[in-house]
Amino acid sequence: MKARTSEFITYIRSKVGSAYLWGGQGETLFGLTRKLAKQTGQSNANTEKMIAYMVQQGVRDMEFFDCSGLAVSFLLAAGAIGGDMTADGIYRNCKKIKRQEVRPGDMVFLLNASGKATHIGYVVDWGITVHALNQSRGVIEEALDFRKWVYGRPEFCLDYDLGEKTDISSLKAGDRLTLGQATKGYNTAAQALSASKPAVTYPAGEYYVYKVYGGAVNITRSKGKAGAWIVL
């Protein structure tokens, strides 16, 4: 049974701010404390007193994830996969796509020299990813940058149930493009994808395509001359 992409994205985004732990799939600080206390022979009563003291001192409970555990925790609970999966296991099962095809619900991977996926992130909005980065930063949300990502669509476990955006994969320089409404323009493709620092607002009307890159389009009133970047 496949899981709904909208529910997957909601879950992934809800884990931003969690801590990083290699192998983590949602274990909690207090849960791990209880496990350790049990292993050392502490009584349940004394363990709960210890946790109460931690809370009194301002310690908050939190979850732990590694990069693949962030997805696997949801997919296992939803019955969308039958067992644990690594980043590389997920990568091998994904449909390979190009950057300009990336949409919310897709996944991004970093590969080593042998072609094995060593890191995975999750596209939660147009140009925005969430990933469990490392022990210093935990689970973060950030703009999809231009590192050497490869891109995958997890059709094996997710049903895409989100609204579509305009398909720009067939656009090329010199094509005419009509905007049906006022649209914000940005100085760079990365800023357009992350909706960061708009530089101009294009009114509705007809424009020329200057360039297409990474899911963003540079449009202009003057054919052959660079304009600003937009996301359709």
Side-chain angles (χ1 to χ4, degrees):
M1 178 180 75
K2 294 183 180 181
R4 295 170 64 89
T5 300
S6 57
E7 294 174 355
F8 176 72
I9 288 175
T10 297
Y11 175 86
I12 293 292
R13 271 191 146 158
S14 74
K15 304 308 178 184
V16 172
S18 298
Y20 181 97
L21 177 69
W22 189 84
Q25 295 184 0
E27 295 83 356
T28 66
L29 176 60
F30 293 168
L32 292 174
T33 299
R34 291 184 177 97
K35 183 177 180 180
L36 177 60
K38 185 176 182 179
Q39 291 173 351
T40 58
Q42 301 293 318
S43 68
N44 290 339
N46 283 340
T47 299
E48 294 309 313
K49 288 178 182 178
M50 179 172 60
I51 290 175
Y53 175 77
M54 293 167 66
V55 173
Q56 183 182 355
Q57 297 303 310
V59 177
R60 67 179 181 90
D61 202 5
M62 65 171 56
E63 293 175 299
F64 295 90
F65 298 93
D66 68 4
C67 64
S68 60
L70 194 55
V72 168
S73 56
F74 173 87
L75 296 173
L76 281 173
I81 58 176
D84 198 2
M85 298 183 75
T86 64
D88 191 61
I90 296 172
Y91 170 67
R92 299 298 170 189
N93 281 278
C94 280
K95 174 185 176 182
K96 307 309 181 289
I97 58 175
K98 298 178 181 179
R99 184 181 177 102
Q100 61 265 32
E101 299 174 302
V102 171
R103 66 190 186 190
D106 291 337
M107 298 179 180
V108 297
F109 304 87
L110 294 177
L111 309 185
N112 63 17
S114 301
K116 180 179 180 180
T118 57
H119 187 66
I120 180 174
Y122 311 96
V123 182
V124 297
D125 203 344
W126 298 92
I128 304 295
T129 58
V130 168
H131 53 148
L133 185 58
N134 53 38
Q135 289 85 351
S136 299
R137 298 186 63 191
V139 180
I140 63 170
E141 180 173 313
E142 63 180 358
L144 176 59
D145 58 27
F146 289 85
R147 283 180 283 183
K148 294 183 179 179
W149 295 108
V150 294
Y151 311 95
R153 181 156 297 153
E155 294 178 341
F156 72 98
C157 62
L158 292 181
D159 266 331
Y160 195 82
D161 63 331
L162 300 170
E164 298 284 353
K165 280 202 173 185
T166 303
D167 181 9
I168 66 170
S169 60
S170 62
L171 291 177
K172 60 184 182 301
D175 285 351
R176 293 178 181 272
L177 180 68
T178 300
L179 296 182
Q181 60 184 9
T183 304
K184 292 180 180 179
Y186 302 80
N187 289 326
T188 69
Q191 289 174 343
L193 289 167
S194 61
S196 173
K197 300 178 181 179
V200 66
T201 298
Y202 283 122
E206 189 171 83
Y207 297 83
Y208 290 102
V209 173
Y210 176 72
K211 191 175 184 180
V212 179
Y213 186 70
V217 185
N218 190 292
I219 64 171
T220 177
R221 289 284 195 185
S222 302
K223 188 175 182 179
K225 183 178 180 181
W229 293 89
I230 65 170
V231 173
L232 297 172

